[in-house]
Amino acid sequence: MMIRILLLACSLLLASELPVSSLSSQQGKDHPWHPHHIDALPPDVRNYIAAICKGPAKAQHYFGTYSPTERRWRINLEYLQCGGLGAFRRGNQCLDVDFIQVGSRFRLASKQYRDCDF
């Protein structure tokens, strides 16, 4: 019990010593619309995004979600910003695409229009 208290006290002491500039720089690194949300995806999924976008693309945090139990990436195109997306939206519905892992690659498994969150 005493070790836990000491560890907690040390971590609080270290956290209080962080300069404000390092804390603010951490907040700026994870902008809601950012290309790194796409860059972190597997190459097969990134190539699909590059094929539908005309120019640079940015995405929000929950643009791509991974289910380890299903070995599936779901890509929600309503959280993507790039040229050429009009063909993937129908009124208030947006296309969601699923990629399933096959070996070391991901293949397109399904496309389905669902209500957009905006």
Side-chain angles (χ1 to χ4, degrees):
M1 183 69 173
M2 185 60 116
I3 293 175
R4 287 184 181 170
I5 293 171
L6 287 174
L7 288 173
L8 178 62
C10 287
S11 62
L12 289 174
L13 182 64
L14 287 173
S16 67
E17 294 298 318
L18 289 175
V20 173
S21 62
S22 72
L23 293 174
S24 65
S25 66
Q26 285 287 49
Q27 292 172 350
K29 287 183 180 177
D30 202 18
H31 190 271
W33 288 99
H34 204 284
H36 82 264
H37 296 130
I38 300 167
D39 297 340
L41 296 171
D44 299 313
V45 180
R46 286 194 317 262
N47 291 339
Y48 178 84
I49 299 306
I52 65 172
C53 286
K54 294 173 176 58
K58 298 185 286 187
Q60 285 186 326
H61 296 284
Y62 299 108
F63 160 71
T65 54
Y66 183 71
S67 169
T69 56
E70 299 174 10
R71 296 171 43 187
R72 173 187 50 81
W73 276 98
R74 170 154 296 152
I75 305 302
N76 301 298
L77 294 182
E78 70 257 35
Y79 302 121
L80 178 67
Q81 280 185 345
C82 68
L85 280 181
F88 300 96
R89 293 188 175 138
R90 294 179 183 162
N92 67 342
Q93 292 194 320
C94 298
L95 185 65
D96 289 345
V97 292
D98 289 346
F99 291 84
I100 302 295
Q101 187 172 5
V102 178
S104 63
R105 310 231 13 214
F106 284 85
R107 68 170 177 81
L108 182 62
S110 68
K111 296 179 180 183
Q112 184 175 0
Y113 281 91
R114 295 185 174 97
D115 288 340
C116 298
D117 286 340
F118 51 79

